[in-house]
Amino acid sequence: MGNLIKFEWKKLFQWRFLFIFLPLIFILNGILVLEQITGDFEKKETFQEDSWTENRSENKNESYEAFLLSIELQAEDMQNTAIFNTSYFNRKNLEKTKNAYSRLHGIELEPDYPTGLRYVTDYRMTDCLLLFSVLALLIQLMLQERAEGLLHLLKPTLNGKGRLIFAKYVTFVLGALILTILFYGTNYFLAAVINSLGNGDAAIQSLEGYFASPFAINIRTYFWLFLLCKWLAVTATNSVFFLFCIYCRNHVYAILCSILTLSVELLLWLTVKDYAWLSPVKHFNLAAILDTSHFFNDYTNFNFLGIPVSAVMAGLVTSILSIIISLTWSIKLFISEASSEAKKSRWLKKFQMKACGTRVSVNLFSMECKKMLFMQKGLFLLLALLVIQALFYYENHFFSDQEEAYYQRYSQVLAGELSKEKADWIEREEEYFRSLDEELEKQYQRYQQGLISATVLDYYIKKLTPRQAEQIGFDRAKTQYQYVEEQRKNGLNVAYLYDTGWNKLLGSEGRREELLDFAKLFLIMILALSSLGTIEKTSSVELLILPSAKGIKGSNRIKTILCTMYSLVAAAITFVWRPMQILNYYEMSGSQYSVQSLLLFSQIKWQMSLGVYVTFIYLLKGVIAILVGQFLFYLSRKCTHDSTVLFLSSLLLVVPVVAVWFYLGL
């Protein structure tokens, strides 16, 4: 067994891309973490110490003791209330909560404890990069031998079944441990370098966000427990992915199943309430165990068949069951799999039809289409992208308040070409608001002179004060109209436009949605095109193509055309939904007018109509998709392994987009 594990590690180290991939991931993670820690530190620096600094420790400890006492008193009051004694869950939950916090009396908290460790352990981008790195190792361990056709040679050997798969699992578990330590160790080191870590012997409750922690441990102990729990969570989650690799026998299906499973788990974790009847699926959940810090920063019990169960216990059970079930099922599938089936897709086999007796003449173009759309799952991925986008944009996420409603009402009056009547209307509205202010000031003076009572004054205040939302809506419309008037004086073809929809489509408000669309597009293209140039190498078909009539150049020309067509179709499926959603919700007109009609483009010097600009932007997105497709094809021709293309392209395309999307959301 030891030799098998050693051999698996040797194969991993022979993957030269590993020595490029991991350093780049660590550098990216370090930059993002450092940015977050320093940003928070600069905000803290703005609050200088003042005269009551010496009393902060005493005040903080007093407030903590008051917090513990309030929990006990509230629990006792609720226990004495009839409504909370009607169910076993309520009684036991109150009792457990009271007991959990009763042990914490006397804990001394440190004032102004640095927040660096919170970013060391709670930074979500680190979690994403760690999962991505472990998944890369998993794909290389489990699927590269299948792609190269070596697995069917290994399986008939003495150690080719149970011992081989167990050795791969042990290698994966050790790899997950090493990566967990490296990622969070890097975070810890960076936080220590900029002196944002406090005293490790301080109580965990001293750390911001952990005031309600039910554990009587210090921060140093918390960090080591966090590492252990995070490793267990990553191992449990990737054990499920390990099973997908064996069942699917293909990196496309395995990755899609992994993403789908984690997305569903994340949705349940974020949307289900703790005391809902679905609360067990919220806590017996892979996303819950990956959010490791929540086990330490609060005390939570959920209702499981009328019994209060601790979230910590649920996390341990989820991790252990995921590991045991996934490993057992994986070994069973791997052992029962015939060596002749090692390269066949278990799913694709169900849809393959028996060859008919009549031979059909096919040309090179149709064969390459078949390889891209069916063998490399390109058609399936396009359908998956279509379903994902349809579900994502099925319901709009737009929000309209009173200010927006008033602005829309004023815009309906002012929309279109500028005119003297519209300018006069704005002046009348201004005069109306001004007269209200003057009348209100007059009533205040009458009140001060004793001519009216306070009750009468309140009546005038309510009557004469315009709604704040109405005033803001009018000011926004007036400012925009005045801006358009200035642009018209400069000789531009402008008009007043209701700009909310345009801002959603072209402005910074929709930037995160666009980045997310690009990430989805790049991911689908990577899965579909990563093996476009390597499939002939791994299957040795390249040796048959070279001496053929059209040769490798003819094959590559056709692949280039197919790659371009596929990129355009994928881009159309990705980017058509958001404009349709915005057009369905907002009134958007005036595409014939100059872009300077919108305040959004007030700094632009060149002239172009909105319609031409929108067309240019979406053509540019299509060009980006084509360039990415050609880059993927070039990369797949230069690399030998599918996994190298898959993760190098993900590192260069998907990870930066996700990192920017994540940064913009902070």
Side-chain angles (χ1 to χ4, degrees), residues 193-205:
V193 165
I194 61 175
N195 296 320
S196 64
L197 294 177
N199 178 18
D201 294 325
I204 188 176
Q205 290 80 5

Side-chain angles (χ1 to χ4, degrees), residues 48-119:
Q48 301 294 331
E49 293 186 357
D50 50 28
S51 58
W52 49 271
T53 301
E54 297 178 357
N55 298 324
R56 286 185 183 177
S57 179
E58 183 179 351
N59 292 340
K60 191 169 185 179
N61 284 300
E62 287 179 358
S63 64
Y64 185 66
E65 286 296 326
F67 165 74
L68 296 177
L69 184 61
S70 68
I71 289 179
E72 294 179 6
L73 293 176
Q74 186 178 8
E76 291 176 359
D77 291 342
M78 294 172 73
Q79 285 175 332
N80 296 328
T81 305
I83 191 173
F84 290 100
N85 287 317
T86 56
S87 71
Y88 177 79
F89 170 78
N90 289 335
R91 292 196 305 272
K92 294 300 292 182
N93 184 39
L94 291 171
E95 182 181 332
K96 285 188 172 185
T97 303
K98 181 180 177 181
N99 292 337
Y101 286 100
S102 63
R103 303 188 299 267
L104 303 180
H105 287 286
I107 289 180
E108 296 290 330
L109 307 188
E110 288 197 12
D112 299 324
Y113 195 84
T115 58
L117 190 68
R118 187 164 65 88
Y119 291 109

Side-chain angles (χ1 to χ4, degrees), residues 496-508:
Y496 183 96
L497 303 177
Y498 175 57
D499 68 356
T500 302
W502 291 108
N503 289 338
K504 295 287 185 184
L505 181 63
L506 304 173
S508 59

